[in-house]
Amino acid sequence: MTRDIKQTAGRAQLGEFAPQFAQVNDDVLFGEIWADETLDLKTRSTIVISVFMGRGLVDSSLRYHLETAKKNGITREEISAIITQAAFYAGWPVGWAVFNMAKEVYEADK
């Protein structure tokens, strides 16, 4: 069973420059992988944030996934616990960077 997830960022940002990459991003990664209901969206968001932290990818794409995690129901308390746990494996400075980004995303939830 799959969810109906529509993503257009690939085509919007790279469609003319890299149409095949854009198509795979929008249709396969989001249209099939993220839409597969084997894992719930909160779990998928937790995985993605953890992988990004482990790779040291603290950029606008991580911010997008923090915002998505919030939309997927990950609370302030949960994101704090996820980042703390991952920081021990990904590196303390990465944890600090992600916390600073997460604070901005979750600021309205005070």
Side-chain angles (χ1 to χ4, degrees), residues 49-59 62 89-91 93-95 97-98:
I49 290 164
S50 299
V51 170
F52 273 50
M53 285 183 67
R55 305 267 317 169
L57 297 172
V58 184
D59 61 8
L62 175 59
Y89 298 92
V94 172
V98 178

Side-chain angles (χ1 to χ4, degrees), residues 25-96:
N25 180 83
D26 293 353
D27 299 344
V28 178
L29 175 58
F30 287 95
E32 294 178 26
I33 304 302
W34 269 89
D36 178 358
E37 293 181 357
T38 304
L39 296 175
D40 62 59
L41 293 174
K42 283 178 73 170
T43 300
R44 288 187 188 281
S45 286
T46 300
I47 291 167
V48 171
I49 290 164
S50 299
V51 170
F52 273 50
M53 285 183 67
R55 305 267 317 169
L57 297 172
V58 184
D59 61 8
S60 61
S61 56
L62 175 59
R63 183 180 184 91
Y64 167 82
H65 282 288
L66 286 167
E67 291 167 350
T68 299
K70 184 178 176 182
K71 290 176 192 167
N72 288 340
I74 294 179
T75 66
R76 278 178 59 134
E77 294 76 18
E78 290 170 328
I79 199 65
S80 178
I82 291 164
I83 296 167
T84 300
Q85 178 77 28
F88 277 92
Y89 298 92
W92 212 246
V94 172
W96 272 99

